[in-house]
Amino acid sequence: MKLVLLGPPGAGKGTQANVLCKEYNVAHFSTGDLLREAIKNNSSVGMEAKVYMDKGELVPDEIVAKMITEKLKNSDTDSGFMLDGFPRTKKQAEILDQALAELNILLDMVLYFETNEETILKRLTGRRVCRGCGYNFHVTNIPPKQEGVCDFCGKELFQRDDDKETTIKRRIDVYNNQTKELIDYYQEKELLKKVSGDLDVDLLFADLKNIFAEAGLK
Ligand code: ADP
Ligand code: ZN
């Protein structure tokens, strides 16, 4: 399966991608994860991106587009991939279309995670991320077995700087102003499939498995 996961911050894209890529053995390309990795490594790209991310703004299109096109070019994409958090602007979507065309890759589906603002706020303020493997937990929705410790690698969990309430509000505005129009963009290409981002992790996972089975995706 070759998918794009679209939806507001906190809609559960990353969480579903985490479980789906294990279940289906496909690559998970998350621009957010790649950017946080760049910051951790103190690279120049990371330093530039951090200024935008801390404010809840989008990182410039050229930076994220380069990250993703390099991933697509240098990875074995035959068994499939999930793009999580990319594209986020019309410009990025156009760059992606061109890169996929050059690589002879067709997207199967764009999953749109529809959700409401209350859910988003609750999810993002409660989100805790593993410093080691990047897995996303939630203080009440997806609690780790031991508080503050990752179930999978044992490393410490932390709250992202951009998961503070004022920054979250800004990220939602940015989504509404710059990303939301991609719903129409992919609807016109007949790729859009709407799912409920409000569902609990397991229920949405089950829904997605049905959707893929019906569409013959694996
Ligand atoms: P979320 O989906 O919860 O907002 P992400 O980890 O996807 O979290 O993104 C975190 C931040 O990284 C965004 O607020 C933005 O600054 C930056 N970012 C991630 N993906 C992109 C992208 N495709 N274009 C521009 N900025 C991005
Ligand atoms: Zn971990």
Side-chain angles (χ1 to χ4, degrees):
M1 57 181 69
K2 298 178 175 99
L3 309 178
V4 165
L5 312 186
L6 180 66
K13 305 181 300 290
T15 303
Q16 289 300 327
N18 276 332
V19 275
L20 287 169
C21 68
K22 283 198 188 102
E23 173 90 7
Y24 291 92
N25 197 24
V26 298
H28 175 197
F29 299 139
S30 154
T31 36
D33 287 350
L34 292 170
L35 291 167
R36 280 183 289 279
E37 186 70 30
I39 293 173
K40 207 159 86 182
N41 296 334
N42 280 317
S43 72
S44 57
V45 164
M47 293 305 99
E48 190 181 348
K50 189 174 188 319
V51 180
Y52 297 94
M53 291 170 78
D54 284 348
K55 288 191 290 197
E57 303 290 338
L58 292 184
V59 174
D61 289 334
E62 309 77 63
I63 295 184
V64 284
K66 187 154 178 266
M67 281 181 146
I68 286 293
T69 46
E70 273 173 12
K71 277 276 170 202
L72 288 171
K73 277 187 193 132
N74 299 325
S75 313
D76 177 11
T77 53
D78 288 349
S79 53
F81 57 82
M82 289 180 197
L83 296 179
D84 163 15
F86 183 93
R88 249 173 158 102
T89 63
K90 181 121 182 282
K91 176 86 192 149
Q92 291 178 21
E94 288 164 357
I95 297 174
L96 176 63
D97 281 345
Q98 198 187 333
L100 292 174
E102 278 166 20
L103 293 164
N104 253 322
I105 297 172
L106 283 179
L107 280 181
D108 293 308
M109 197 181 272
V110 174
L111 287 173
Y112 165 45
F113 289 59
E114 192 179 45
T115 182
N116 67 65
E117 204 160 305
E118 198 188 325
T119 311
I120 294 176
L121 280 174
K122 227 180 270 164
R123 288 212 181 127
L124 294 180
T125 49
R127 172 158 69 184
R128 299 293 180 270
V129 184
C130 172
R131 253 188 229 295
C133 69
Y135 198 90
N136 286 353
F137 293 88
H138 187 281
V139 286
T140 51
N141 301 350
I142 318 169
K145 292 194 187 88
Q146 190 189 336
E147 197 188 315
V149 181
C150 177
D151 290 356
F152 305 101
C153 73
K155 295 263 161 56
E156 176 203 15
L157 305 184
F158 73 104
Q159 182 172 34
R160 274 168 44 177
D161 285 340
D162 60 348
D163 279 346
K164 309 278 155 66
E165 195 149 342
T166 45
T167 320
I168 290 172
K169 292 250 160 69
R170 181 68 203 136
R171 284 159 63 203
I172 295 171
D173 285 347
V174 165
Y175 170 79
N176 285 325
N177 294 330
Q178 301 188 58
T179 309
K180 219 175 173 179
E181 61 179 319
L182 294 182
I183 298 169
D184 289 340
Y185 184 87
Y186 286 117
Q187 183 108 58
E188 275 161 30
K189 292 183 184 291
E190 297 184 352
L191 285 171
L192 200 79
K193 179 77 193 168
K194 191 159 74 175
V195 298
S196 171
D198 291 333
L199 292 175
D200 283 344
V201 182
D202 294 348
L203 286 177
L204 180 51
F205 183 53
D207 260 9
L208 290 172
K209 284 205 282 195
N210 284 331
I211 289 170
F212 297 149
E214 265 172 37
L217 299 180
K218 46 182 179 21

